Coordinates of all heavy atoms in Angstrom, one line a residue:
M1 N -5.3 10.5 -10.0 CA -5.3 11.3 -8.8 C -5.8 10.4 -7.7 O -6.6 9.5 -7.8 CB -6.2 12.5 -9.0 CG -6.2 13.4 -7.9 SD -7.3 14.8 -8.2 CE -6.1 16.1 -7.9
A2 N -5.3 10.7 -6.5 CA -5.6 9.9 -5.3 C -7.0 10.2 -4.9 O -7.6 11.2 -5.1 CB -4.6 10.3 -4.2
K3 N -7.6 9.1 -4.2 CA -8.9 9.2 -3.7 C -9.0 10.1 -2.5 O -8.0 10.2 -1.7 CB -9.3 7.8 -3.3 CG -10.7 7.6 -2.8 CD -11.0 6.2 -2.5 CE -10.7 5.9 -1.1 NZ -11.2 4.6 -0.7
K4 N -10.1 10.9 -2.3 CA -10.2 11.8 -1.1 C -10.3 11.0 0.1 O -11.0 10.0 0.2 CB -11.5 12.6 -1.3 CG -11.7 13.6 -0.2 CD -12.7 14.6 -0.6 CE -13.1 15.5 0.6 NZ -12.1 16.1 1.3
I5 N -9.6 11.4 1.2 CA -9.7 10.7 2.5 C -10.3 11.6 3.5 O -10.4 12.8 3.4 CB -8.2 10.3 2.9 CG1 -7.3 11.5 3.1 CG2 -7.7 9.3 2.0 CD1 -6.0 11.2 3.7
N6 N -10.8 11.0 4.6 CA -11.5 11.7 5.6 C -10.6 12.0 6.8 O -11.0 11.9 8.0 CB -12.7 10.9 6.1 CG -13.8 10.8 5.0 OD1 -13.9 11.7 4.2 ND2 -14.4 9.7 4.9
V7 N -9.4 12.4 6.5 CA -8.4 12.7 7.6 C -7.8 14.1 7.3 O -7.5 14.4 6.2 CB -7.2 11.7 7.6 CG1 -6.2 12.1 8.6 CG2 -7.8 10.3 7.9
T8 N -7.8 15.0 8.3 CA -7.2 16.3 8.1 C -6.0 16.4 9.0 O -6.1 16.3 10.3 CB -8.2 17.4 8.6 OG1 -9.4 17.3 7.8 CG2 -7.6 18.8 8.3
P9 N -4.8 16.6 8.4 CA -3.6 16.7 9.3 C -3.6 18.0 10.0 O -4.2 19.0 9.7 CB -2.5 16.7 8.2 CG -3.1 16.6 6.9 CD -4.5 16.6 7.0
L10 N -2.8 18.0 11.1 CA -2.7 19.2 12.0 C -1.6 20.1 11.5 O -0.6 19.6 11.0 CB -2.5 18.8 13.4 CG -3.6 18.0 14.1 CD1 -3.2 17.6 15.5 CD2 -4.9 18.7 14.1
H11 N -1.7 21.4 11.8 CA -0.7 22.4 11.6 C -0.2 22.4 10.1 O -0.9 22.5 9.2 CB 0.4 22.3 12.6 CG -0.2 22.4 14.0 ND1 -0.8 23.5 14.5 CD2 -0.2 21.5 15.0 CE1 -1.2 23.3 15.7 NE2 -0.9 22.0 16.1
D12 N 1.2 22.2 10.0 CA 1.8 22.2 8.7 C 2.1 20.9 8.1 O 2.9 20.7 7.3 CB 3.1 23.1 8.7 CG 4.2 22.4 9.6 OD1 3.8 21.6 10.5 OD2 5.3 22.7 9.4
R13 N 1.3 19.9 8.6 CA 1.5 18.5 8.1 C 0.7 18.3 6.7 O -0.3 18.9 6.5 CB 1.0 17.5 9.1 CG 1.6 17.6 10.4 CD 2.8 16.8 10.6 NE 3.3 16.9 12.0 CZ 4.4 16.5 12.3 NH1 5.3 16.0 11.5 NH2 4.8 16.6 13.6
V14 N 1.3 17.4 5.9 CA 0.7 17.1 4.6 C 0.7 15.6 4.5 O 1.6 14.9 4.8 CB 1.6 17.7 3.5 CG1 1.0 17.4 2.1 CG2 1.6 19.2 3.7
I15 N -0.4 15.0 3.9 CA -0.5 13.6 3.6 C -0.3 13.4 2.1 O -1.0 14.1 1.3 CB -1.8 13.0 4.1 CG1 -2.0 13.2 5.6 CG2 -1.9 11.6 3.6 CD1 -3.3 12.7 6.1
I16 N 0.6 12.5 1.7 CA 1.0 12.3 0.3 C 0.8 10.9 -0.1 O 1.1 10.0 0.7 CB 2.5 12.7 0.1 CG1 2.6 14.2 0.4 CG2 3.0 12.4 -1.2 CD1 4.0 14.8 0.3
Q17 N 0.3 10.7 -1.3 CA 0.1 9.4 -1.9 C 1.4 9.2 -2.7 O 1.5 9.9 -3.8 CB -1.1 9.3 -2.8 CG -1.2 8.0 -3.6 CD -1.6 6.8 -2.7 OE1 -2.6 6.9 -2.0 NE2 -0.9 5.7 -2.9
P18 N 2.4 8.3 -2.3 CA 3.6 8.2 -3.1 C 3.3 7.6 -4.5 O 2.4 6.8 -4.7 CB 4.4 7.2 -2.3 CG 3.8 7.1 -1.0 CD 2.4 7.5 -1.1
A19 N 4.1 8.0 -5.5 CA 4.0 7.5 -6.8 C 4.5 6.1 -6.8 O 5.2 5.6 -6.0 CB 4.8 8.3 -7.8
R20 N 4.0 5.3 -7.8 CA 4.5 3.9 -7.9 C 6.0 3.8 -8.3 O 6.5 4.7 -9.0 CB 3.7 3.2 -8.9 CG 2.2 3.0 -8.6 CD 1.5 2.2 -9.6 NE 2.2 1.0 -9.8 CZ 1.6 -0.2 -9.7 NH1 0.3 -0.3 -9.5 NH2 2.3 -1.3 -9.9
A21 N 6.7 2.8 -7.8 CA 8.1 2.7 -8.1 C 8.2 2.3 -9.5 O 7.3 1.6 -10.1 CB 8.7 1.6 -7.2
E22 N 9.3 2.6 -10.2 CA 9.6 2.3 -11.6 C 9.7 0.8 -11.7 O 10.3 0.1 -11.0 CB 10.9 3.0 -12.0 CG 10.8 4.5 -12.1 CD 9.9 5.0 -13.2 OE1 9.8 4.4 -14.2 OE2 9.2 6.0 -12.9
E23 N 9.0 0.3 -12.7 CA 9.0 -1.2 -13.0 C 10.1 -1.5 -14.0 O 10.7 -2.6 -14.0 CB 7.7 -1.6 -13.6 CG 6.5 -1.3 -12.8 CD 6.3 -2.3 -11.6 OE1 6.7 -3.5 -11.8 OE2 5.8 -1.9 -10.6
K24 N 10.5 -0.6 -14.9 CA 11.5 -0.8 -15.9 C 12.5 0.4 -16.0 O 12.1 1.5 -15.7 CB 10.9 -1.0 -17.3 CG 10.1 -2.2 -17.6 CD 9.7 -2.2 -19.0 CE 8.9 -3.5 -19.3 NZ 8.5 -3.5 -20.7
T25 N 13.7 0.1 -16.4 CA 14.6 1.2 -16.6 C 14.4 1.8 -18.0 O 13.6 1.2 -18.8 CB 16.1 0.7 -16.6 OG1 16.3 -0.3 -17.6 CG2 16.4 0.0 -15.2
A26 N 15.1 2.9 -18.3 CA 14.9 3.5 -19.6 C 15.3 2.5 -20.8 O 14.8 2.6 -21.9 CB 15.7 4.8 -19.7
G27 N 16.3 1.6 -20.5 CA 16.7 0.7 -21.5 C 15.8 -0.6 -21.6 O 16.1 -1.4 -22.4
G28 N 14.8 -0.7 -20.8 CA 13.8 -1.8 -20.9 C 14.1 -2.9 -19.9 O 13.4 -3.9 -20.0
I29 N 15.1 -2.8 -19.0 CA 15.4 -3.8 -18.1 C 14.4 -3.8 -16.9 O 14.1 -2.7 -16.4 CB 16.8 -3.7 -17.5 CG1 17.8 -3.7 -18.6 CG2 17.1 -4.7 -16.4 CD1 19.2 -3.4 -18.2
I30 N 13.8 -4.9 -16.6 CA 12.8 -5.0 -15.5 C 13.5 -5.0 -14.2 O 14.4 -5.8 -14.0 CB 11.9 -6.3 -15.7 CG1 11.1 -6.2 -17.0 CG2 10.9 -6.4 -14.5 CD1 10.3 -7.4 -17.4
I31 N 13.0 -4.2 -13.3 CA 13.7 -4.1 -12.0 C 12.9 -5.0 -11.0 O 11.7 -4.9 -10.8 CB 13.6 -2.6 -11.4 CG1 14.3 -1.7 -12.4 CG2 14.2 -2.5 -10.1 CD1 14.1 -0.2 -12.2
P32 N 13.6 -5.9 -10.3 CA 13.0 -6.8 -9.3 C 12.6 -6.0 -8.1 O 13.1 -4.9 -7.8 CB 14.1 -7.8 -8.9 CG 15.3 -7.2 -9.3 CD 15.1 -6.2 -10.4
D33 N 11.6 -6.5 -7.3 CA 11.1 -5.8 -6.1 C 12.2 -5.4 -5.1 O 12.1 -4.4 -4.5 CB 10.0 -6.6 -5.4 CG 8.7 -6.7 -6.2 OD1 8.5 -5.8 -7.0 OD2 8.0 -7.6 -6.0
T34 N 13.2 -6.3 -5.0 CA 14.2 -6.1 -4.0 C 15.2 -4.9 -4.4 O 15.8 -4.4 -3.5 CB 15.1 -7.3 -3.8 OG1 15.6 -7.8 -5.0 CG2 14.2 -8.5 -3.2
A35 N 15.2 -4.6 -5.6 CA 16.1 -3.5 -6.1 C 15.4 -2.2 -6.3 O 16.1 -1.2 -6.7 CB 16.8 -4.0 -7.4
K36 N 14.1 -2.1 -6.2 CA 13.4 -0.9 -6.5 C 13.7 0.2 -5.4 O 13.8 -0.1 -4.2 CB 11.9 -1.1 -6.5 CG 11.4 -1.9 -7.7 CD 9.9 -2.0 -7.7 CE 9.5 -2.9 -8.8 NZ 8.1 -3.2 -8.8
E37 N 13.9 1.4 -5.9 CA 14.1 2.5 -4.9 C 12.8 3.1 -4.5 O 11.8 3.0 -5.2 CB 14.9 3.6 -5.6 CG 16.4 3.2 -5.8 CD 17.2 4.4 -6.1 OE1 16.8 5.6 -5.8 OE2 18.3 4.2 -6.7
K38 N 12.8 3.6 -3.3 CA 11.6 4.3 -2.7 C 11.3 5.5 -3.6 O 12.2 6.3 -3.8 CB 11.9 4.6 -1.3 CG 10.8 5.1 -0.5 CD 11.2 5.4 1.0 CE 10.1 6.1 1.7 NZ 10.6 6.4 3.1
P39 N 10.1 5.7 -4.0 CA 9.8 6.9 -4.8 C 10.0 8.2 -4.0 O 9.8 8.2 -2.8 CB 8.3 6.7 -5.2 CG 7.8 5.7 -4.2 CD 8.9 4.9 -3.7
Q40 N 10.3 9.2 -4.7 CA 10.5 10.5 -4.1 C 9.6 11.5 -4.7 O 9.8 12.7 -4.6 CB 12.0 11.0 -4.3 CG 13.0 10.1 -3.6 CD 14.4 10.5 -3.9 OE1 14.9 10.3 -5.0 NE2 15.0 11.1 -2.9
R41 N 8.5 11.1 -5.2 CA 7.4 11.9 -5.8 C 6.1 11.4 -5.4 O 5.9 10.2 -5.2 CB 7.6 11.8 -7.4 CG 6.5 12.3 -8.2 CD 6.6 12.0 -9.6 NE 7.8 12.5 -10.1 CZ 8.0 13.0 -11.3 NH1 7.0 13.0 -12.2 NH2 9.1 13.6 -11.7
G42 N 5.1 12.3 -5.3 CA 3.8 11.9 -4.9 C 2.8 13.0 -5.1 O 3.1 14.1 -5.5
T43 N 1.5 12.7 -4.8 CA 0.4 13.6 -4.9 C -0.1 13.9 -3.5 O -0.4 13.0 -2.7 CB -0.7 13.0 -5.8 OG1 -0.1 12.6 -7.0 CG2 -1.8 14.0 -6.0
V44 N -0.4 15.2 -3.3 CA -0.9 15.6 -2.0 C -2.4 15.2 -1.9 O -3.2 15.6 -2.8 CB -0.8 17.2 -1.8 CG1 -1.4 17.6 -0.5 CG2 0.7 17.6 -1.8
V45 N -2.8 14.5 -0.9 CA -4.2 14.1 -0.8 C -4.9 14.9 0.4 O -6.1 14.9 0.4 CB -4.4 12.6 -0.6 CG1 -4.0 11.8 -1.8 CG2 -3.6 12.1 0.6
A46 N -4.1 15.5 1.3 CA -4.7 16.3 2.4 C -3.6 17.2 2.9 O -2.4 16.8 2.9 CB -5.2 15.4 3.5
A47 N -4.0 18.4 3.3 CA -3.1 19.3 3.9 C -3.7 20.0 5.1 O -4.9 20.3 5.1 CB -2.6 20.4 2.8
G48 N -2.9 20.3 6.1 CA -3.3 21.0 7.3 C -3.5 22.5 7.0 O -3.1 23.0 5.9
P49 N -4.0 23.2 8.0 CA -4.2 24.7 7.8 C -2.9 25.5 7.8 O -2.9 26.6 7.3 CB -5.1 25.0 8.9 CG -4.8 24.0 10.0 CD -4.5 22.8 9.3
G50 N -1.8 24.9 8.4 CA -0.6 25.7 8.4 C -0.3 26.2 9.9 O -1.1 25.9 10.8
K51 N 0.8 26.8 10.0 CA 1.1 27.4 11.4 C 0.4 28.7 11.6 O -0.2 29.2 10.7 CB 2.6 27.6 11.5 CG 3.4 26.3 11.4 CD 4.9 26.5 11.6 CE 5.6 25.2 11.6 NZ 7.1 25.5 11.7
K52 N 0.5 29.3 12.7 CA -0.2 30.5 13.1 C 0.0 31.6 12.1 O -1.0 32.2 11.7 CB 0.2 30.9 14.5 CG -0.5 32.1 15.1 CD 0.0 32.4 16.4 CE -0.7 33.6 17.0 NZ -0.3 34.0 18.3
D53 N 1.2 31.9 11.8 CA 1.5 33.0 10.9 C 1.9 32.6 9.5 O 2.4 33.4 8.7 CB 2.6 33.9 11.4 CG 2.2 34.5 12.8 OD1 1.0 34.8 13.0 OD2 3.1 34.7 13.6
E54 N 1.8 31.3 9.2 CA 2.4 30.8 7.9 C 1.4 29.7 7.3 O 1.4 28.5 7.8 CB 3.7 30.1 8.2 CG 4.6 29.9 7.0 CD 5.9 29.3 7.5 OE1 6.5 29.9 8.5 OE2 6.4 28.4 6.9
P55 N 0.6 30.1 6.4 CA -0.4 29.1 5.8 C 0.4 28.0 4.9 O 1.5 28.3 4.5 CB -1.3 29.9 5.0 CG -0.6 31.1 4.7 CD 0.4 31.4 5.8
V56 N -0.2 26.9 4.7 CA 0.4 25.9 3.9 C 0.4 26.3 2.4 O -0.7 26.8 2.0 CB -0.3 24.5 4.1 CG1 0.2 23.5 3.2 CG2 -0.2 24.0 5.5
S57 N 1.5 26.1 1.7 CA 1.5 26.6 0.3 C 1.1 25.5 -0.7 O 0.9 25.8 -1.9 CB 2.9 27.1 0.0 OG 3.9 26.1 0.2
V58 N 1.1 24.2 -0.3 CA 0.6 23.2 -1.2 C -0.9 23.0 -1.0 O -1.4 23.2 0.0 CB 1.4 21.9 -1.0 CG1 2.9 22.0 -1.3 CG2 1.2 21.3 0.4
K59 N -1.5 22.4 -2.1 CA -2.9 22.2 -2.0 C -3.2 20.7 -2.5 O -2.3 20.1 -3.2 CB -3.7 23.2 -2.8 CG -3.3 23.5 -4.2 CD -4.1 24.7 -4.7 CE -3.6 25.0 -6.1 NZ -2.3 25.3 -6.3
V60 N -4.3 20.2 -2.2 CA -4.7 18.9 -2.6 C -4.6 18.8 -4.1 O -5.1 19.6 -4.9 CB -6.1 18.5 -2.1 CG1 -6.6 17.2 -2.6 CG2 -6.2 18.6 -0.6
G61 N -4.0 17.7 -4.6 CA -3.8 17.5 -6.0 C -2.5 17.9 -6.6 O -2.1 17.5 -7.7
D62 N -1.7 18.6 -5.8 CA -0.3 19.0 -6.3 C 0.6 17.8 -6.3 O 0.5 16.9 -5.4 CB 0.3 20.0 -5.3 CG -0.3 21.4 -5.5 OD1 -1.0 21.7 -6.5 OD2 0.0 22.3 -4.6
T63 N 1.4 17.7 -7.3 CA 2.4 16.7 -7.4 C 3.7 17.3 -6.8 O 4.1 18.4 -7.3 CB 2.7 16.2 -8.8 OG1 1.4 15.7 -9.3 CG2 3.7 15.1 -8.9
V64 N 4.3 16.6 -5.9 CA 5.5 17.2 -5.2 C 6.7 16.2 -5.2 O 6.5 15.0 -5.3 CB 5.1 17.5 -3.7 CG1 4.1 18.6 -3.7 CG2 4.6 16.3 -2.9
L65 N 7.9 16.8 -5.0 CA 9.1 16.0 -4.7 C 9.4 16.1 -3.3 O 9.3 17.2 -2.7 CB 10.2 16.5 -5.6 CG 10.1 16.4 -7.1 CD1 11.3 17.0 -7.8 CD2 10.0 14.9 -7.5
Y66 N 9.9 15.0 -2.6 CA 10.3 15.1 -1.2 C 11.5 14.2 -1.1 O 11.9 13.5 -1.9 CB 9.2 14.6 -0.3 CG 8.6 13.3 -0.7 CD1 9.1 12.1 -0.3 CD2 7.4 13.2 -1.6 CE1 8.5 10.9 -0.6 CE2 6.9 12.0 -1.9 CZ 7.4 10.8 -1.5 OH 6.9 9.6 -1.8
G67 N 12.2 14.4 0.1 CA 13.4 13.7 0.4 C 13.2 12.2 0.5 O 12.1 11.7 0.8
K68 N 14.3 11.4 0.3 CA 14.2 10.0 0.2 C 13.7 9.4 1.6 O 12.9 8.4 1.6 CB 15.5 9.4 -0.1 CG 15.5 7.9 -0.3 CD 16.8 7.3 -0.7 CE 17.0 7.5 -2.1 NZ 18.1 6.8 -2.7
Y69 N 14.1 10.0 2.7 CA 13.7 9.5 4.0 C 12.7 10.4 4.7 O 12.6 10.3 5.9 CB 15.0 9.3 4.8 CG 15.9 8.3 4.2 CD1 17.1 8.8 3.6 CD2 15.6 7.0 4.1 CE1 18.0 7.9 3.0 CE2 16.5 6.1 3.5 CZ 17.7 6.5 2.9 OH 18.5 5.7 2.3
A70 N 12.0 11.2 4.0 CA 11.1 12.2 4.6 C 9.8 11.5 4.9 O 9.4 10.6 4.3 CB 10.8 13.3 3.6
G71 N 9.2 12.0 6.0 CA 7.8 11.5 6.4 C 7.8 10.2 7.1 O 8.8 9.5 7.3
T72 N 6.6 9.9 7.5 CA 6.3 8.7 8.3 C 5.2 7.9 7.5 O 4.2 8.5 7.0 CB 5.7 9.0 9.7 OG1 6.6 9.8 10.4 CG2 5.4 7.8 10.4
E73 N 5.5 6.6 7.2 CA 4.6 5.8 6.5 C 3.3 5.5 7.4 O 3.5 5.0 8.5 CB 5.2 4.5 6.0 CG 6.3 4.8 5.0 CD 7.0 3.5 4.6 OE1 6.7 2.4 5.1 OE2 7.9 3.6 3.7
I74 N 2.1 5.7 6.8 CA 0.9 5.4 7.5 C 0.0 4.6 6.6 O 0.2 4.7 5.4 CB 0.2 6.6 8.1 CG1 -0.1 7.6 7.0 CG2 1.1 7.3 9.1 CD1 -1.0 8.8 7.4
Q75 N -1.0 4.0 7.1 CA -2.0 3.3 6.3 C -3.4 3.8 6.7 O -3.8 3.7 7.9 CB -1.9 1.8 6.4 CG -2.6 1.1 5.4 CD -2.3 -0.4 5.4 OE1 -2.1 -1.0 6.4 NE2 -2.2 -1.0 4.2
I76 N -4.1 4.4 5.8 CA -5.5 4.9 6.0 C -6.4 4.3 5.0 O -6.1 4.4 3.8 CB -5.5 6.4 5.9 CG1 -4.6 7.1 7.0 CG2 -6.9 6.9 6.1 CD1 -4.5 8.6 6.8
E77 N -7.5 3.6 5.4 CA -8.5 3.0 4.6 C -7.8 2.1 3.5 O -8.2 2.0 2.4 CB -9.3 4.1 3.9 CG -10.0 5.0 4.8 CD -10.7 6.2 4.1 OE1 -10.6 6.3 2.9 OE2 -11.3 7.0 4.8
G78 N -6.8 1.4 3.9 CA -6.1 0.4 3.1 C -5.1 1.0 2.1 O -4.5 0.3 1.3
N79 N -4.9 2.3 2.1 CA -3.9 3.0 1.3 C -2.6 3.3 2.0 O -2.7 3.8 3.1 CB -4.5 4.4 0.8 CG -5.7 4.2 -0.1 OD1 -5.9 3.3 -0.8 ND2 -6.7 5.1 0.1
D80 N -1.5 3.0 1.4 CA -0.2 3.3 2.0 C 0.1 4.8 1.6 O 0.2 5.2 0.5 CB 0.9 2.4 1.4 CG 0.7 1.0 1.9 OD1 0.3 0.8 3.0 OD2 1.0 0.1 1.1
L81 N 0.2 5.6 2.7 CA 0.4 7.0 2.5 C 1.6 7.5 3.4 O 2.2 6.7 4.2 CB -0.8 7.8 3.0 CG -2.1 7.4 2.3 CD1 -3.3 8.1 3.1 CD2 -2.1 7.9 0.9
L82 N 2.1 8.7 3.1 CA 3.1 9.4 3.9 C 2.6 10.6 4.5 O 1.9 11.4 3.9 CB 4.3 9.8 3.0 CG 5.2 8.7 2.5 CD1 6.2 9.3 1.5 CD2 6.0 8.0 3.6
I83 N 2.9 10.9 5.8 CA 2.6 12.1 6.4 C 3.9 12.8 6.8 O 4.8 12.2 7.3 CB 1.7 11.9 7.7 CG1 1.2 13.3 8.2 CG2 2.3 11.1 8.7 CD1 0.0 13.2 9.2
M84 N 4.0 14.1 6.4 CA 5.3 14.8 6.6 C 5.0 16.3 6.8 O 3.9 16.8 6.5 CB 6.2 14.6 5.5 CG 5.7 15.2 4.1 SD 6.9 14.9 2.8 CE 6.7 13.1 2.5
R85 N 6.0 17.0 7.3 CA 5.8 18.4 7.4 C 6.0 19.1 6.1 O 6.7 18.5 5.2 CB 6.9 19.0 8.4 CG 6.7 18.6 9.8 CD 7.7 19.4 10.7 NE 7.5 19.0 12.1 CZ 6.6 19.6 12.9 NH1 5.8 20.5 12.4 NH2 6.6 19.2 14.1
E86 N 5.4 20.2 5.9 CA 5.5 20.9 4.6 C 7.0 21.2 4.3 O 7.4 21.2 3.1 CB 4.7 22.2 4.6 CG 4.7 22.9 3.3 CD 4.0 24.2 3.3 OE1 3.9 24.8 4.3 OE2 3.6 24.7 2.2
S87 N 7.8 21.5 5.3 CA 9.2 21.8 5.1 C 10.0 20.6 4.5 O 11.1 20.8 4.0 CB 9.8 22.3 6.4 OG 9.8 21.3 7.4
D88 N 9.5 19.4 4.6 CA 10.2 18.2 4.0 C 9.9 18.1 2.5 O 10.6 17.4 1.8 CB 9.7 16.9 4.7 CG 10.1 16.8 6.1 OD1 11.1 17.4 6.5 OD2 9.4 16.1 6.9
I89 N 9.0 18.9 2.0 CA 8.7 18.9 0.6 C 9.7 19.8 -0.1 O 10.0 21.0 0.3 CB 7.3 19.4 0.3 CG1 6.3 18.4 0.8 CG2 7.1 19.6 -1.2 CD1 4.8 18.9 0.8
L90 N 10.4 19.3 -1.2 CA 11.5 20.0 -1.8 C 10.9 20.9 -3.0 O 11.5 22.0 -3.2 CB 12.5 19.0 -2.4 CG 13.1 18.1 -1.4 CD1 14.0 17.0 -2.1 CD2 13.8 18.8 -0.3
A91 N 9.9 20.4 -3.7 CA 9.4 21.2 -4.9 C 8.0 20.7 -5.2 O 7.6 19.6 -5.0 CB 10.3 21.0 -6.1
I92 N 7.3 21.6 -5.9 CA 6.0 21.3 -6.5 C 6.2 21.2 -8.0 O 6.8 22.1 -8.6 CB 5.0 22.4 -6.2 CG1 4.8 22.6 -4.7 CG2 3.6 22.1 -6.9 CD1 3.9 23.8 -4.3
I93 N 5.8 20.1 -8.5 CA 6.0 19.9 -10.0 C 4.8 20.4 -10.8 O 3.7 20.2 -10.4 CB 6.2 18.4 -10.3 CG1 7.4 17.9 -9.5 CG2 6.3 18.2 -11.8 CD1 7.6 16.4 -9.7

């Protein structure tokens, strides 16, 4: 699980710690860094309060799936994170 951070996103924004990229395929082939795909799964480390009439439905610690190009990459306390709107999240696992 991701470390707690001292940042609170505004409105319906969520901060996500992306999962590590796959190192090997199912057949055991090692994937080089240049061929790795961007992960589409991560853990919620912070969530805003939501919009005026619509609270955020994800909570800290949830594992979520999001679109390949969703969110903005940020770095907080040396950690590479993504910040995105809750509507960019496709599913809670």
Side-chain angles (χ1 to χ4, degrees):
M1 184 177 236
K3 184 175 92 170
K4 182 167 172 48
I5 59 172
N6 294 324
V7 176
T8 303
L10 299 175
H11 306 295
D12 66 336
R13 305 269 183 193
V14 177
I15 298 178
I16 295 177
Q17 173 75 51
R20 295 184 54 128
E22 294 292 324
E23 303 282 331
K24 288 185 180 181
T25 63
I29 298 172
I30 297 174
I31 303 171
D33 289 337
T34 56
K36 289 182 184 173
E37 285 196 22
K38 188 175 172 184
Q40 294 176 288
R41 167 189 298 217
T43 304
V44 176
V45 294
K51 293 183 179 178
K52 184 178 179 182
D53 299 328
E54 195 176 317
V56 175
S57 59
V58 295
K59 52 190 176 303
V60 174
D62 284 350
T63 302
V64 295
L65 295 177
Y66 51 87
K68 186 177 280 194
Y69 301 107
T72 303
E73 294 179 355
I74 59 173
Q75 195 170 37
I76 299 174
E77 300 172 4
N79 297 324
D80 292 326
L81 304 169
L82 287 171
I83 186 166
M84 64 182 71
R85 291 191 180 274
E86 184 187 24
S87 60
D88 291 336
I89 295 173
L90 304 174
I92 300 172
I93 301 176

